[in-house]
Amino acid sequence: MNPLKLKAKSLCLHPWSHLAINPNGDVVPCCHQRGSNPTILGNVKKDSVDDIFNGEKMKKLRKDMLNGILPEDTCHKCVKYEKLGVKSPRQWVFHNTYADKVMDTVSNTESDGTLKDYKIKYWDLRFSNICNMTCVMCSPEFSSRWTQEAKKLYNSMTSDDAKSTLLQTLVLDKSVIENEKVINVNDQIKWVDQGINDVEKIYFAGGEPLIMDAHWYILEKLDEMQRYDVEIKYNTNLLKLDFKGKSAIDYWKKWSKNKLLVENSLDESGARAEWIRYGTDWNVVSSNIKKLVDNNIRCAPITSIGCYNIFRLPEIYTEFKEMYQGNFENFSLRLNPVFSKAWCIQVLPDDFKRKIRKKIKRWEKSTRIHNPQLLKTFYAELEKPHDPTALRNFLRKSAVLDCSRGTSLFDAIPELAFLNEIGNDEYYKTKTLFWENSNLKDNK
């Protein structure tokens, strides 16, 4: 076994160095391995970290990679990117400062995949689904407000058939309605104290990490230990910078600029942003971005690209670049394609997608983009045929959410009004059906 020879083909450092925890305690191979059928390695509420890290699934993953196999069922995103010639998350992992140390560990893997002497260098922490937004592409698993809204809508339905239709429209299981509003693993973090001397990189996500007690516990502990050498990265909606009298900026300023990055989930501006990520107050979020820039905190947008904003990608890039101007030399906009049925790019008709593709191609030629190869992913998505079922799901789900929230998709994003015309008026039909079957109508 020569790990260096496997590096280009099948090796990923995560099974030797990484822990990714979901709000319900499930541990997955990495943050990219999420979805309807993720590989669950264990659960920190039930299993010890050592049992998970040397469990049968993790050992098999190591063995596969050492045998030259990048398992597509677990590593589907990386496999997809690499087939397109796009640098995958697996390949980016080797740029981490701890990569050489982990490569030495790989060589010590036993024949059955067991790793006796290991140090977890990278924590991906989603300790809770507590959140102050209900983003359209999200779900109750990662947003407590989504759970709250789903319960409200479900309980407003006046018949069992209407309740069943609602769950189908929102693509939710009834168990979501029965779950508690907030799920977390805050009481299962003993391993944090045990491993904090070894960790070199932490990714805080959620839910919303800046309103999680566990996040602040770790941040304060790192500060007490003066572990400003730990690289910290956030995925936050930036609706709040203060928590229980504590200011995130006061802590963040203690890290050097190259050791801390605050990425905020931002897909659009103004009313568009407020519709896509419901709960957004654009004035507050844009003001908080300015505070970070003014305090020399490295920050950047992380943008989910779906049917609701792909047609404005060049404009979004320009607007965001202006907002973050002066933050650091090379503006970086991280783009993530949305694959969920109701929000994917295939919602859009083929002729519209062809126009979008030409527009982005022209823009790419005239603009210096930080990571232009990533656009290959979106070109591939734009070339896939229109999906009438996805369009129907988009119109129905948008209609129900607008009924619940008192919002209007077509007021916020007028470019999409034509979709209802080609979608057999499904948006307004769904709204009519909703009000006929909901006791919320008196509160419209």
Side-chain angles (χ1 to χ4, degrees):
M1 174 193 67
N2 186 338
L4 288 175
K5 290 183 179 179
L6 295 169
K7 183 176 173 180
K9 180 182 178 183
S10 62
L11 192 66
C12 176
L13 297 182
H14 285 335
W16 284 266
S17 61
H18 177 51
L19 200 65
I21 302 176
N22 279 347
N24 64 354
D26 284 344
V27 177
V28 291
C30 77
C31 70
H32 299 287
Q33 213 281 307
R34 302 184 192 278
S36 59
N37 190 30
T39 299
I40 307 300
L41 302 173
N43 187 292
V44 293
K45 288 185 177 182
K46 307 169 187 175
D47 312 308
S48 72
V49 170
D50 192 58
D51 287 343
I52 294 170
F53 217 64
N54 277 307
E56 292 305 314
K57 290 183 179 179
M58 184 69 103
K59 289 193 292 185
K60 182 181 184 305
L61 188 55
R62 292 190 192 112
K63 285 195 297 181
D64 282 346
M65 290 183 175
L66 292 175
N67 287 324
I69 300 167
L70 188 62
E72 192 161 356
D73 57 341
T74 298
C75 307
H76 52 86
K77 183 172 182 177
C78 289
V79 171
K80 182 175 183 176
Y81 274 32
E82 290 171 27
K83 284 180 179 177
L84 289 171
V86 177
K87 196 168 185 177
S88 70
R90 174 188 75 85
Q91 293 166 325
W92 280 110
V93 167
F94 290 96
H95 292 276
N96 284 305
T97 55
Y98 56 81
D100 289 342
K101 300 175 192 173
V102 178
M103 286 294 284
D104 291 338
T105 305
V106 172
S107 301
N108 297 325
T109 308
E110 297 188 8
S111 59
D112 69 345
T114 297
L115 198 63
K116 286 185 177 178
D117 185 19
Y118 65 86
K119 297 185 187 301
I120 300 178
K121 296 295 184 181
Y122 176 23
W123 299 348
D124 181 327
L125 305 178
R126 299 154 202 261
F127 277 124
S128 173
N129 73 336
I130 189 168
C131 194
N132 44 16
M133 291 189 184
T134 42
C135 307
V136 293
M137 77 295 289
C138 197
S139 67
E141 181 182 6
F142 295 104
S143 170
S144 56
R145 277 194 52 169
W146 247 110
T147 306
Q148 187 177 7
E149 183 168 23
K151 284 184 177 182
K152 177 192 77 172
L153 290 170
Y154 185 82
N155 292 332
S156 82
M157 294 292 105
T158 55
S159 70
D160 289 341
D161 285 346
K163 289 178 177 180
S164 177
T165 299
L166 175 78
L167 292 176
Q168 291 173 12
T169 300
L170 297 179
V171 197
L172 296 177
D173 189 85
K174 189 178 178 182
S175 61
V176 168
I177 310 302
E178 298 163 351
N179 285 341
E180 53 190 290
K181 186 170 70 175
V182 177
I183 53 177
N184 64 70
V185 290
N186 287 351
D187 55 343
Q188 306 290 328
I189 58 173
K190 294 177 183 177
W191 59 268
V192 167
D193 293 339
Q194 297 167 352
I196 202 160
N197 288 310
D198 299 323
V199 69
E200 294 190 32
K201 182 176 181 179
I202 302 176
Y203 183 48
F204 290 112
E208 171 49 42
L210 295 184
I211 57 174
M212 291 181 195
D213 289 314
H215 156 261
W216 288 94
Y217 174 82
I218 294 172
L219 189 62
E220 289 174 331
K221 198 162 190 68
L222 292 170
D223 183 39
E224 288 170 10
M225 299 173 65
Q226 297 189 0
R227 288 229 48 202
Y228 307 123
D229 59 313
V230 175
E231 182 183 346
I232 301 179
K233 189 175 181 181
Y234 285 86
N235 185 337
T236 169
N237 58 44
L238 276 189
L239 196 57
K240 287 182 69 68
L241 289 174
D242 300 319
F243 182 74
K244 296 182 179 179
K246 293 170 282 194
S247 166
I249 288 178
D250 289 344
Y251 287 91
W252 292 343
K253 287 193 293 188
K254 298 179 182 182
W255 269 259
S256 63
K257 203 166 184 177
N258 68 327
K259 285 291 186 180
L260 187 140
L261 172 61
V262 180
E263 286 189 327
N264 62 293
S265 302
L266 201 64
D267 309 321
E268 262 288 6
S269 58
R272 298 169 186 269
E274 293 177 345
W275 190 89
I276 295 167
R277 294 192 179 268
Y278 185 68
T280 295
D281 183 322
W282 179 248
N283 290 331
V284 171
V285 171
S286 56
S287 174
N288 284 340
I289 292 169
K290 187 176 187 306
K291 287 177 184 177
L292 296 187
V293 173
D294 290 346
N295 279 279
N296 205 32
I297 306 294
R298 189 160 65 108
C299 56
I302 177 169
T303 302
S304 296
I305 299 293
C307 62
Y308 46 74
N309 62 353
I310 180 77
F311 52 89
R312 264 182 41 88
L313 181 54
E315 292 86 351
I316 291 168
Y317 183 91
T318 301
E319 290 173 21
F320 288 180
K321 186 175 182 179
E322 180 65 27
M323 289 177 67
Y324 291 88
Q325 195 70 42
N327 183 245
F328 53 102
E329 187 175 343
N330 294 316
F331 171 74
S332 171
L333 175 62
R334 188 144 74 93
L335 304 172
N336 285 327
V338 176
F339 297 115
S340 57
K341 196 79 166 176
W343 313 110
C344 65
I345 291 169
Q346 290 73 49
V347 164
L348 304 173
D350 294 333
D351 57 343
F352 191 44
K353 288 194 277 93
R354 282 192 290 270
K355 291 176 183 177
I356 294 169
R357 194 176 187 278
K358 288 179 182 178
K359 176 180 177 178
I360 296 175
K361 280 281 189 183
R362 289 195 301 269
W363 167 69
E364 182 186 5
K365 289 179 181 178
S366 63
T367 307
R368 184 180 176 184
I369 305 168
H370 179 68
N371 186 17
Q373 65 161 344
L374 189 56
L375 291 177
K376 292 181 182 178
T377 307
F378 297 100
Y379 292 142
E381 292 302 306
L382 286 165
E383 288 173 355
K384 291 179 181 177
H386 166 63
D387 185 343
T389 302
L391 172 60
R392 186 164 57 250
N393 291 353
F394 167 75
L395 293 170
R396 287 177 177 176
K397 194 166 185 178
S398 298
V400 169
L401 294 179
D402 279 347
C403 289
S404 173
R405 301 168 180 182
T407 54
S408 170
L409 163 64
F410 302 135
D411 285 346
I413 311 176
E415 294 91 338
L416 297 182
F418 81 101
L419 292 180
N420 189 53
E421 297 173 14
I422 65 172
N424 196 30
D425 202 33
E426 195 67 44
Y427 175 85
Y428 290 109
K429 288 178 180 176
T430 301
K431 290 188 83 170
T432 299
L433 186 65
F434 177 88
W435 292 122
E436 288 175 352
N437 290 280
S438 172
N439 60 25
L440 290 180
K441 54 188 160 198
D442 292 336
N443 300 318
K444 275 195 288 183

